[in-house]
């Protein structure tokens, strides 16, 4: 039987370079906090226990971790990565199994990559380090391997000789070992180095000295991007978007300009969907088969069923449910409302807190007046109803199945099935009135002009 797996997620750094009141691990990529990416990654790789290490300013981080069912431990001073992992020792007293160290600022690492690191332990390695060939090794720790490709030690950039600096195989920061071994090695780490920190990377040489094997599991640089500032955050977002688009395209969606279509971590897209350029899907969007999302539409928390057409210029807010084949056109906002099969709201409307029956037609400029300043009220529109242009539906109100409202109506009472509701002042035509009005005005203007010339 495979041994148990636990993870320590390091999130205690100050993240000063983010220049942000929000702690770095809570900044989002693809609409999901970087901390959550790390927690989900650990769990997807079969980790049962997750311990998040936070700093003294990290109360928000700890609360977010606990909300996700993680344990937390405080590192009261940032004395280095080995010290940070050591802060999980008490929590893991009595735990026996594999332990992996992850960071809360590397949101792009994939599950299979982490599973490969665990596999290396199961293949007999005492310590396994996730490494990669860096285009620019810069500030990364260098992985020094022997002729058999066994990892000898890790040298931090600040401590590296010129020869060592030339090494392009570098440390991602992810490291796994048997839990008891790792805590024992951490106990022996010293801080006599350029930064005066307790480096987690020192456990490699210490393990070798004990006769343990250390290995590098090589990953793809594209997954390893670490976020230090908001320029990095933007790069991570771009990488996430590129990956998500690729996945959605391969699953059978069409995009003519994929670089302008934006998804969230949880966007679900069925096959045959078309995204026109410049469309945005925030969290909680599901799009059914063959639906069509037209340009400049903005969707959040919305379910779009098969064959529906959204936009151009539509806004779907949380709780919007657009039924099969329904249509939401330009400058239409839908919030917490269901449009039944084949219903249409094609122009300039607000549909909030509403239930619109199948086949109903909502005319241009229709507004559900759902809010009285205190409470929200529901509008019900029956199947096949026809709402005339510029109708104000003052909720709570029901328009029956097959009923009609005359344009410009302000509907404050329920409308029975198949009735017509007209609610506006009757029209009066005054013959010749406009002509007389113009003549009067023109005469007055002439008189005034003549007076000023005198
Ligand atoms: C670390 C690695 C380096 C690797 C690089 C990858 C060490 C000594 N070096 O360097 O080999 O190439 O990551 O990005 O491990 N943290 C704490 N408490 C601390 C110090 C750090 O929680 O006392 C956290 C930080 O919040 C961060 C992570 O640990 O999430 C890494 O710390 P950082 O200072 O960025 O390490 P690097 O110098 O980048
Ligand atoms: Mg770093």
């Amino acid at each position: 039987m495979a041994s148990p797996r636990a993870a320590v997620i390091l999130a205690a750094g100050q993240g000063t370079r983010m220049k942000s009141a929000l702690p770095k691990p809570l900044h989002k990529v693809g609409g999901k906090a970087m901390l959550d990416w790390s927690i989900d990654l650990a769990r997807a790789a079969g980790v049962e226990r997750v311990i998040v290490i936070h700093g003294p300013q990290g109360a928000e981080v700890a609360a977010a971790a606990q909300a996700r069912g993680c344990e937390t431990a405080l590192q009261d001073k940032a004395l280095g990565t080995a010290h940070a992992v050591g802060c999980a020792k008490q929590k893991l007293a009595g735990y026996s199994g594999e332990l992996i160290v992850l960071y809360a600022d590397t949101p792009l690492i994939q599950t299979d990559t982490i599973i490969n690191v665990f596999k290396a332990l199961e293949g007999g390695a005492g310590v396994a380090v996730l490494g990669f060939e860096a285009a620019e090794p810069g500030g990364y720790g260098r992985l020094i391997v022997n002729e058999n490709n066994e990892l000898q030690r890790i040298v931090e950039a600040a401590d590296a000789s010129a020869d060592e600096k030339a090494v392009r195989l570098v440390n991602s920061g992810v490291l796994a070992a048997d839990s008891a071994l790792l805590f024992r090695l951490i106990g022996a780490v010293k801080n006599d180095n350029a930064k005066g920190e307790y480096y987690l990377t020192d456990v490699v040489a210490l393990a070798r000295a004990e006769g343990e094997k250390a290995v590098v599991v090589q990953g793809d640089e594209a997954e390893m991007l670490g976020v230090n500032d908001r320029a990095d955050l933007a790069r991570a977002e771009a990488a996430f978007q590129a990956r998500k688009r690729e996945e959605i395209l391969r699953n059978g969606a069409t995009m003519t300009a994929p670089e302008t279509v934006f998804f969230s971590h949880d966007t679900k897209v069925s096959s045959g969907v078309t995204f026109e350029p410049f469309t945005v899907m925030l969290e909680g969007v599901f799009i059914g088969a063959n639906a069509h999302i037209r340009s400049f539409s903005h969707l959040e928390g919305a379910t779009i069923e098969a064959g529906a057409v959204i936009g151009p210029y539509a806004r779907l807010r949380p709780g919007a449910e657009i039924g099969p084949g329904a249509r939401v056109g330009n400058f239409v906002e839908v919030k917490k409302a269901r449009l039944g099969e084949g219903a249409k709201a094609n122009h300039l409307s607000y549909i909030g807190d509403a239930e619109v029956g199948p086949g109903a037609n909502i005319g241009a400029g229709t507004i559900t007046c759902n809010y009285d300043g205190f409470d929200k009220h529901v509008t019900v529109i029956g199947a096949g109803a026809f709402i005339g242009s510029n109708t104000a539906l003052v909720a709570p109100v029901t328009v029956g199945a097959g009923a009609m409202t005359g344009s410009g109506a302000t509907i404050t009472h329920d409308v029975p099935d198949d009735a017509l509701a007209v609610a506006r002042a009757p029209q009066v035509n005054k013959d010749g009135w406009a002509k007389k009005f113009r003549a009067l005005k023109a005469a007055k203007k002439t008189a005034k002009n003549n007076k000023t010339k005198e």
Side-chain angles (χ1 to χ4, degrees):
M1 218 194 90
S3 38
R5 291 172 176 177
V8 172
I9 297 178
L10 301 191
Q14 294 281 2
T16 12
R17 281 173 287 172
M18 295 298 281
K19 301 203 165 103
S20 169
L22 184 71
K24 180 166 80 170
L26 302 183
H27 280 264
K28 290 178 177 179
V29 171
K32 172 156 108 176
M34 292 196 283
L35 175 67
D36 288 326
W37 281 108
S38 304
I39 294 169
D40 291 342
L41 175 65
R43 293 201 170 130
V47 167
E48 294 123 50
R49 289 183 69 182
V50 178
I51 293 95
V52 174
I53 311 298
H54 62 94
Q57 262 94 56
E60 272 179 274
V61 173
Q66 283 158 11
R68 296 289 322 275
C70 299
E71 298 163 74
T72 56
L74 171 71
Q75 185 193 26
D76 51 13
K77 252 188 167 172
L79 299 177
T81 47
H83 178 259
V85 176
C87 294
K89 191 175 171 183
Q90 260 189 343
K91 289 271 171 191
L92 288 171
Y95 168 77
S96 157
E98 297 167 351
L99 183 59
I100 194 160
V101 178
L102 304 173
Y103 294 170
D105 64 0
T106 49
L108 300 170
I109 299 178
Q110 299 286 282
T111 308
D112 285 347
T113 306
I114 296 302
I115 288 174
N116 286 341
V117 176
F118 282 122
K119 277 190 187 152
L121 293 186
E122 281 139 31
V127 177
V129 171
L130 177 61
F132 63 99
E133 287 282 347
E136 285 176 40
Y140 289 116
R142 306 300 200 268
L143 302 182
I144 310 298
V145 296
N146 69 9
E147 58 284 355
N148 300 324
N149 242 355
E150 286 169 354
L151 181 60
Q152 305 292 293
R153 60 200 167 85
I154 305 178
V155 189
E156 288 306 295
D159 303 286
S161 67
D163 278 357
E164 289 166 340
K165 275 211 174 107
V167 172
R168 285 178 44 208
L169 184 64
V170 299
N171 176 23
S172 69
V174 174
L175 179 148
D178 166 74
S179 170
L181 172 68
L182 187 60
F183 285 121
R184 183 151 48 78
L185 297 174
I186 283 172
V189 169
K190 304 222 162 43
N191 67 347
D192 51 351
N193 51 51
K195 289 190 179 167
E197 284 184 7
Y198 296 91
Y199 292 162
L200 180 63
T201 44
D202 283 356
V203 301
V204 169
L206 292 166
R208 295 276 304 169
E210 286 199 8
E212 293 283 353
K213 195 168 109 182
V215 302
V216 179
V217 175
Q218 215 164 311
D220 182 352
E221 180 166 18
E223 291 181 27
M224 307 301 175
L225 176 73
V227 172
N228 291 313
D229 58 26
R230 296 201 212 198
D232 292 335
L233 188 67
R235 272 188 279 278
E237 183 69 39
F240 162 78
Q241 292 296 342
R243 194 155 80 193
K244 187 80 182 176
R245 288 169 192 140
E246 185 77 17
E247 177 194 313
I248 288 172
L249 286 164
R250 288 190 189 284
N251 283 341
T254 296
M255 298 177 215
T256 50
E259 67 282 7
T260 68
V261 180
F262 295 85
F263 296 104
S264 172
H265 65 99
D266 62 350
T267 311
K268 295 211 170 44
V269 179
S270 306
S271 66
V273 173
T274 298
F275 295 94
E276 290 187 7
F278 302 102
T279 44
V280 176
M281 273 54 65
L282 298 186
E283 254 191 319
V285 172
F286 169 84
I287 304 175
N290 305 314
H292 192 136
I293 313 300
R294 304 198 60 196
S295 291
F296 307 107
S297 293
H298 189 277
L299 283 54
E300 180 177 15
T303 298
I304 292 101
E305 293 178 30
V309 181
I310 308 300
Y313 298 98
R315 176 155 188 227
L316 301 186
R317 290 173 50 204
E321 284 179 31
I322 312 304
R327 283 162 191 264
V328 177
N330 37 243
F331 306 107
V332 173
E333 175 180 347
V334 180
K335 184 220 76 168
K336 207 172 168 196
R338 177 170 173 84
L339 263 61
E341 181 164 3
K344 291 181 193 163
N346 274 334
H347 333 268
L348 298 158
S349 289
Y350 172 62
I351 316 291
D353 301 286
E355 181 68 43
V356 178
N361 191 314
I362 311 285
T366 295
I367 306 287
T368 54
C369 310
N370 58 332
Y371 187 48
D372 57 17
F374 295 91
D375 297 304
K376 299 280 167 66
H377 303 281
V378 172
T379 301
V380 177
I381 296 170
F386 184 97
I387 306 300
S389 295
N390 201 29
T391 295
L393 297 156
V394 183
V397 73
T398 296
V399 177
M404 300 175 83
T405 68
S407 66
T410 297
I411 303 295
T412 53
H413 304 298
D414 289 355
V415 182
D417 289 359
D418 296 319
L420 166 69
V422 182
R424 59 174 186 241
Q427 181 172 331
V428 179
N429 290 344
K430 298 188 177 178
D431 286 335
W433 190 97
K435 195 175 178 182
K436 272 188 239 160
F437 175 77
R438 277 193 302 272
L440 190 72
K441 283 291 190 187
K444 271 195 178 163
K445 200 170 186 179
T446 313
K448 194 175 165 200
N449 287 347
N450 291 342
K451 212 172 171 190
T452 48
K453 276 184 204 152
E454 276 168 15

